[in-house]
Amino acid sequence: MKALVFAGIRKMEVREVPDPVMDQETDAIIRVTSAAICGSDLHMYEGRTSATPGMVFGHEIMGVVQQAGKATQLVKEGDRVCLPFNVSCGMCFNCTRGFVNACLTTNPKGPGGGYGYADLGPHRGGQAELVRVPFADFNCLKLPGTPGDDFEDDFITLADIFPTGYHSAIMANVHPGATVAIYGAGPVGYMAALSSFLLGASAVYVVDRSGTRLRMVQELGAVPINFEHGDPVQQILKLRKENQLLQGRLRPGEEKLQGVLCGIDAVGYQSLDRGDPSHEKPTQVLEDLAQVVCATGSIGLIGVYFSGDPGGVDQKAKEGVFNYPLGMLWEKGITVQTGQAPVKRYNAFLRDLIIQGRVKPGKLVSHRIALEEAPQAYERFLMRGTGEGANFTKIVLKPNG
Ligand SMILES: [Zn+2]
Ligand SMILES: [Zn+2]
């Protein structure tokens, strides 16, 4: 079959690779109709992980079951399915408690397996014509309709970005009336904004510098904050203050509450230094959130931080060790949650919101392309919403045409 292969830093190639074969009778083989490129694929593409040449990336996968193992009971040939990016067994101590993001049996290197990702186990990615799914009954989310219908772009977001954005809002304790600051208006930041509104947020501020990305979150009803127009913390505090003064709500002393209750980091360890955006400052977003989130608030870190980063700014960063404003967080009594989303906890509910027409997350998809066009698309997506990559908001590959 044809697959997109990581050939080295900033180099993807379409190659012939062996077809996947059934390993266990609980597996299934999926013919891929949509495989999205994720912002987290860019970390591998840029050489900022332990990904090695020859790997097939792709953890955002949907398609049709081509072959179902004899031991499968729920999944049948011809089923239209979307796969959570987590590869999980459904039976271990963590899976049975709902923490499918920390499955103990699908990754020999540590808790949590995934398709086509550095250090997430031996599961080949889905940016290819076919992909093997372990524990297919547990991992396949069944979908109505037929490939290529009006829901195709919406359903592919269920593999990762929509449940991941939703999980970030849960980690940040977003609830009816809550105020939210989201750093990063990429695909996960967009879904975090959409999810915050689903959870009843009264105001959502989203920080980025890409005009295209900020316009898209504005369409959802969020307030765009361009960090190239000044310190985003001060911009948000000013807007909150004006808003609260209009309501005449503040009493003496209460101006200390002028931040937001919920903070979401949808950027991660490759955040830019605001003082000099040509450099990275891995703690920039952490520092900003510690300031802008009110005492008693909550922060969800969904943007990734790895314990091994060959391109880290210094030795500590290479080991994933950062100066974190723990004092300020402790004094303010802020809750911080971290880690990957347990997609299966949410994906059926989010699918049903899509089917009922309550949300249209597929609006984010800007490009539907053949595998052969993917190497250039990776280059453009790497520009993260700026320059020639401005309109590449979400790219979906169509390996089978
Ligand atoms: Zn992803
Ligand atoms: Zn498990």
Side-chain angles (χ1 to χ4, degrees):
M1 68 163 180
K2 274 193 299 186
L4 190 66
V5 175
F6 177 55
I9 293 176
R10 298 192 188 202
K11 198 159 188 284
M12 304 300 290
E13 282 175 9
V14 180
R15 290 186 196 160
E16 285 289 329
V17 303
D19 283 2
V21 286
M22 305 277 286
D23 186 30
Q24 305 284 333
E25 290 299 347
T26 48
D27 293 350
I29 305 289
I30 308 296
R31 182 165 47 80
V32 178
T33 59
S34 285
I37 302 176
C38 183
S40 58
D41 290 329
L42 296 179
H43 302 311
M44 295 192 289
Y45 178 65
E46 279 191 274
R48 300 294 296 273
T49 69
S50 60
T52 48
M55 263 181 78
V56 176
F57 295 171
H59 59 268
E60 303 188 3
I61 310 162
M62 67 180 279
V64 175
V65 177
Q66 176 154 304
Q67 187 186 357
K70 287 194 189 75
T72 57
Q73 297 181 24
L74 306 174
V75 173
K76 299 274 176 282
E77 282 163 31
D79 281 350
R80 187 189 198 190
V81 296
C82 181
L83 311 179
F85 76 85
N86 321 110
V87 177
S88 52
C89 72
M91 298 178 282
C92 71
F93 180 69
N94 287 346
C95 280
T96 51
R97 294 182 303 126
F99 294 95
V100 292
N101 53 321
C103 177
L104 296 167
T105 69
T106 52
N107 179 2
K109 286 192 176 171
Y115 301 94
Y117 211 88
D119 297 325
L120 292 187
H123 317 285
R124 191 163 63 178
Q127 291 173 6
E129 289 178 293
L130 301 166
V131 70
R132 181 179 75 91
V133 183
F135 306 103
D137 279 340
F138 189 69
N139 285 309
C140 292
L141 175 73
K142 289 209 195 192
L143 303 168
T146 49
D149 66 13
D150 285 348
F151 286 138
E152 183 87 13
D153 289 347
D154 300 305
F155 287 154
I156 185 60
T157 69
L158 293 168
D160 180 358
I161 55 174
F162 192 10
T164 289
Y166 190 84
H167 182 64
S168 74
I170 295 290
M171 289 198 293
N173 192 28
V174 178
H175 54 76
T179 47
V180 187
I182 300 169
Y183 276 69
V188 170
Y190 178 92
M191 295 300 167
L194 173 65
S195 301
S196 294
F197 286 119
L198 280 174
L199 289 163
S202 59
V204 177
Y205 304 89
V206 184
V207 180
D208 205 294
R209 64 170 174 173
S210 156
T212 319
R213 289 177 165 190
L214 287 173
R215 269 193 299 282
M216 293 200 71
V217 292
Q218 200 170 11
E219 279 172 22
L220 295 172
V223 179
I225 305 285
N226 190 325
F227 71 79
E228 287 187 337
H229 300 168
D231 181 344
V233 172
Q234 295 309 319
Q235 291 189 60
I236 295 170
L237 293 180
K238 183 163 178 287
L239 288 167
R240 288 309 302 155
K241 195 172 179 190
E242 287 166 1
N243 187 297
Q244 287 170 333
L245 286 175
L246 276 175
Q247 296 170 11
R249 186 157 82 79
L250 289 184
R251 290 160 52 211
E254 286 195 337
E255 65 279 358
K256 294 190 202 74
L257 274 175
Q258 69 181 225
V260 292
L261 267 178
C262 311
I264 294 172
D265 171 0
V267 177
Y269 72 130
Q270 286 194 258
S271 64
L272 300 177
D273 185 340
R274 256 195 285 109
D276 174 8
S278 66
H279 285 85
E280 286 181 9
K281 182 179 176 188
T283 55
Q284 182 70 70
V285 172
L286 303 176
E287 288 172 21
D288 281 11
L289 286 175
Q291 282 188 55
V292 81
V293 173
C294 300
T296 76
S298 302
I299 295 175
L301 303 184
I302 199 72
V304 302
Y305 293 85
F306 292 126
S307 59
D309 170 13
V313 290
D314 54 36
Q315 190 50 41
K316 289 274 188 202
K318 285 182 171 52
E319 294 162 14
V321 176
F322 305 109
N323 279 319
Y324 193 73
L326 186 57
M328 185 185 282
L329 290 167
W330 194 93
E331 285 164 6
K332 291 167 89 172
I334 290 172
T335 301
V336 179
Q337 287 195 56
T338 66
Q340 289 181 356
V343 169
K344 198 177 167 71
R345 202 183 290 174
Y346 311 111
N347 63 0
F349 296 111
L350 298 177
R351 171 198 62 194
D352 293 351
L353 279 175
I354 290 169
I355 294 168
Q356 292 296 323
R358 299 289 302 270
V359 288
K360 194 75 186 153
K363 273 186 189 166
L364 191 65
V365 176
S366 55
H367 292 74
R368 299 158 197 84
I369 60 174
L371 280 186
E372 288 72 16
E373 297 170 74
Q376 202 200 4
Y378 262 86
E379 261 178 50
R380 292 285 182 268
F381 194 44
L382 185 63
M383 301 172 88
R384 297 187 168 95
T386 65
E388 287 177 314
N391 296 319
F392 286 69
T393 52
K394 186 71 182 173
I395 303 155
V396 179
L397 308 181
K398 301 288 177 182
N400 287 286

